[in-house]
Amino acid sequence: MAELNLVLLGPPGSGKGTQGERLNEDLRLPYYATGDILRAAVRDETELGRSAKRYMDAGDLVPDEVIVGVIAEALDSDEARDGFILDGFPRTTPQAEALDAKLAELGRSVTAVLLIDVSDDEVVRRLGGRRTCAANGHVFHVEFNPPEKEGVCDIDGAELVVRDDDKPEVIRKRLDTYHEKTEPLIDYYDHRSVLRRVDGVAPPDQVTEELRRTLATMRLEQDEAV
Ligand code: AP5
């Protein structure tokens, strides 16, 4: 079967993290979520975290050169040899070009980009109620996906917190950043015939099913083309 080098694309709060975790379990491929990687670096007060924090808190993107190095290192690792899932990367055209260049160096390419489509109003509704596991980033929502016990992660028992960038004014800024810098990637990948759109407004299980179906169809088509 053709290898799966998968990118999850979509606005903040579209469900990339929620779905990425599920696909990670299904596909058993390494899952690199740049937001999680950066938040862990901020928590651990590493050099990466110190340089990223002010951008993240303001709803801006961290500079391309900072994040490209992180992903290039991940893709060089043995675990990513048979495929990977990227969530939150690339987010700009230079990042997409850097990813293509890195994969070309390895004789590979992006094989699937799944765009999880939701409106700005839905993003605002979702991020306002999101609660995130302080230890491992597992995601809940006070209304749409509540934890069994309020304020406690079902998976590892850690405290659930409101992310610093889920304040209303920062959510708006993140949406603006998405439309300006990340949305052009829809055309970028559409031109390469690897993009598929999935309706992200349906309930999470339905979105997962749709993603699975879409990926299965794409892989079948790619296998037939070989
Ligand atoms: P990052 O963490 O990647 O943030 P994001 O893209 O804004 O995405 P989110 O994590 O907010 O949302 P999501 O799509 O994962 O949705 P989720 O599943 O949580 O990045 C944070 C920051 O890091 C950036 O702003 C930037 O500064 C920096 N950064 C990261 N990558 C970078 C890069 N490549 N370059 C430069 N800077 C970078 O779901 C949201 C909520 O909705 C949850 O509460 C969930 O329970 C709920 N929900 C999910 N699905 C559904 C559904 N179908 N129906 C109802 N509710 C749902």
Side-chain angles (χ1 to χ4, degrees):
M1 191 178 286
E3 72 180 22
L4 179 59
N5 301 326
L6 171 65
V7 170
L8 294 178
L9 197 62
S14 53
K16 302 182 297 297
T18 302
Q19 300 298 334
E21 274 197 23
R22 296 175 181 205
L23 291 177
N24 182 25
E25 272 176 30
D26 271 10
L27 301 166
R28 303 260 159 223
L29 288 174
Y31 169 54
Y32 304 115
T34 42
D36 291 348
I37 294 169
L38 290 169
R39 277 184 293 281
V42 169
R43 229 177 11 245
D44 296 343
E45 297 181 9
T46 64
E47 200 183 323
L48 172 65
R50 278 191 292 275
S51 60
K53 186 172 179 355
R54 68 192 162 101
Y55 297 102
M56 296 173 77
D57 285 350
D60 284 326
L61 298 180
V62 307
D64 289 335
E65 59 276 16
V66 171
I67 198 72
V68 163
V70 172
I71 291 299
E73 198 179 313
L75 297 184
D76 269 331
S77 68
D78 257 8
E79 65 170 15
R81 210 183 34 211
D82 298 326
F84 53 80
I85 305 170
L86 289 177
D87 163 0
F89 185 94
R91 250 176 159 100
T92 63
T93 303
Q95 289 182 19
E97 290 167 348
L99 176 62
D100 281 349
K102 179 72 210 173
L103 289 173
E105 217 178 83
L106 302 169
R108 301 166 62 182
S109 61
V110 170
T111 56
V113 178
L114 298 177
L115 170 66
I116 306 182
D117 230 355
V118 302
S119 67
D120 287 9
D121 287 346
E122 178 71 11
V123 166
V124 173
R125 233 156 51 93
R126 286 190 187 177
L127 295 187
R130 175 164 62 183
R131 298 294 179 270
T132 305
C133 162
N136 292 303
H138 302 120
V139 177
F140 298 84
H141 191 281
V142 289
E143 189 184 339
F144 309 129
N145 178 25
E148 276 174 27
K149 188 167 168 215
E150 199 186 316
V152 179
C153 177
D154 289 350
I155 298 161
D156 55 28
E159 185 191 6
L160 295 180
V161 297
V162 176
R163 261 170 53 174
D164 286 341
D165 59 351
D166 279 349
K167 298 183 189 111
E169 65 282 9
V170 186
I171 294 172
R172 282 285 166 203
K173 171 71 177 137
R174 287 164 63 200
L175 272 168
D176 291 346
T177 304
Y178 172 78
H179 291 306
E180 186 196 340
K181 306 233 169 94
T182 309
E183 225 163 39
L185 295 185
I186 297 174
D187 277 349
Y188 183 96
Y189 285 118
D190 211 13
H191 283 137
R192 286 158 179 76
S193 304
V194 288
L195 182 101
R196 299 289 184 278
R197 284 172 191 266
V198 170
D199 176 15
V201 182
D205 288 351
Q206 218 168 298
V207 178
T208 309
E209 270 318 300
E210 178 70 21
L211 290 170
R212 284 187 184 134
R213 247 198 320 271
T214 306
L215 270 180
T217 308
M218 284 183 91
R219 297 185 84 178
L220 214 61
E221 288 165 0
Q222 286 165 357
D223 283 343
E224 278 169 7
V226 176

